[in-house]
Amino acid sequence: MGGLFVYATFFLALLFLFPIFLYVDSFVDVGENRAWFSVRFYRKFKLIGGYGELDKEGILIHVSKKKAFFLPYREIADTRKKFEIAKGFQLYTFRQTVETGGAEQPYALLLAAFALAVSGAAFSVLQRDKPFLTLKNNTLLGAKPCLKLTTRSVFVFNGLTLAVAISKKILEAFLQWIQRRSIRSSKRQRSS
């Protein structure tokens, strides 16, 4: 019986400390006004995927043929607070490819050079703060006019980080439920 406890404790500790890799791939085509995305564990297990498009009043995100979400522009600042759960996730790899058209036009060359310069400056700051981070940047020039961006971000975290983040969200939801319930009961007492 003692051996089973030792093995269970070892595997649980291994599960909490073993690194988990989350791959976020995206492709943005400005000409089509769409951005495709995919989120996967270990590049194999798909969590979510779909595409988004800009509308006059917000962003429409399609995750399947029958399911879509609408995010109004005025609520985008508030949604950032909902992703505080990702604070324990460390960016491990970031790759981007910018594709511009009009290879024979001077504006395309300037746009490609500008994209390389901006990403090079940003990457040097990120590399200074996180030396383990792998960053790659490419720029492609095509014959037809276009503006496309392809990215791959790899985040690493462990089971303990995920358990703490989920526990925090559950606790926040529980506290909000208690707060709503106490507000309702105080309104009932005042009306009585």
Side-chain angles (χ1 to χ4, degrees):
M1 187 71 174
L4 180 65
F5 178 74
V6 171
Y7 286 128
T9 304
F10 173 75
F11 285 118
L12 188 62
L14 187 66
L15 178 69
F16 276 143
L17 299 177
F18 191 74
I20 300 169
F21 292 92
L22 185 70
Y23 287 77
V24 180
D25 296 318
S26 67
F27 174 73
V28 178
D29 189 346
V30 175
E32 289 193 29
N33 189 28
R34 286 203 177 167
W36 291 266
F37 65 93
S38 172
V39 179
R40 299 175 183 269
F41 278 124
Y42 298 108
R43 247 193 262 178
K44 301 286 182 199
F45 308 108
K46 184 177 178 181
L47 289 177
I48 192 169
Y51 68 93
E53 55 189 346
L54 297 178
D55 192 38
K56 293 177 187 175
E57 297 159 9
I59 301 172
L60 191 59
I61 301 170
H62 299 269
V63 291
S64 71
K65 289 182 179 181
K66 295 182 180 180
K67 196 171 195 181
F69 301 101
F70 183 72
L71 182 62
Y73 291 129
R74 64 182 177 274
E75 293 180 13
I76 289 177
D78 295 335
T79 57
R80 200 177 80 194
K81 295 175 187 173
K82 293 179 183 177
F83 288 101
E84 282 184 1
I85 192 171
K87 281 189 176 179
F89 296 26
Q90 295 293 320
L91 183 62
Y92 182 69
T93 302
F94 183 79
R95 294 180 183 164
Q96 75 174 13
T97 302
V98 178
E99 183 180 346
T100 62
E104 293 144 7
Q105 302 294 328
Y107 73 88
L109 295 173
L110 288 174
L111 184 61
F114 179 73
L116 282 172
V118 168
S119 59
F123 285 2
S124 65
V125 171
L126 288 171
Q127 196 83 47
R128 183 191 65 203
D129 294 339
K130 299 179 181 184
F132 61 87
L133 188 58
T134 304
L135 301 165
K136 292 190 180 178
N137 181 29
N138 296 315
T139 302
L140 302 173
L141 293 172
K144 296 180 181 178
C146 67
L147 181 57
K148 299 176 184 177
L149 174 69
T150 305
T151 64
R152 168 169 279 173
S153 305
V154 180
F155 296 91
V156 65
F157 57 99
N158 59 23
L160 183 61
T161 304
L162 187 62
V164 167
I166 290 171
S167 300
K168 182 181 173 187
K169 283 298 181 185
I170 291 172
L171 184 62
E172 286 175 2
F174 180 68
L175 291 175
Q176 286 178 355
W177 177 76
I178 289 175
Q179 187 178 23
R180 283 194 305 259
R181 191 166 178 193
S182 66
I183 289 171
R184 286 181 195 154
S185 65
S186 65
K187 286 182 180 178
R188 285 182 197 153
Q189 289 176 353
R190 278 190 240 149
S191 65
S192 298

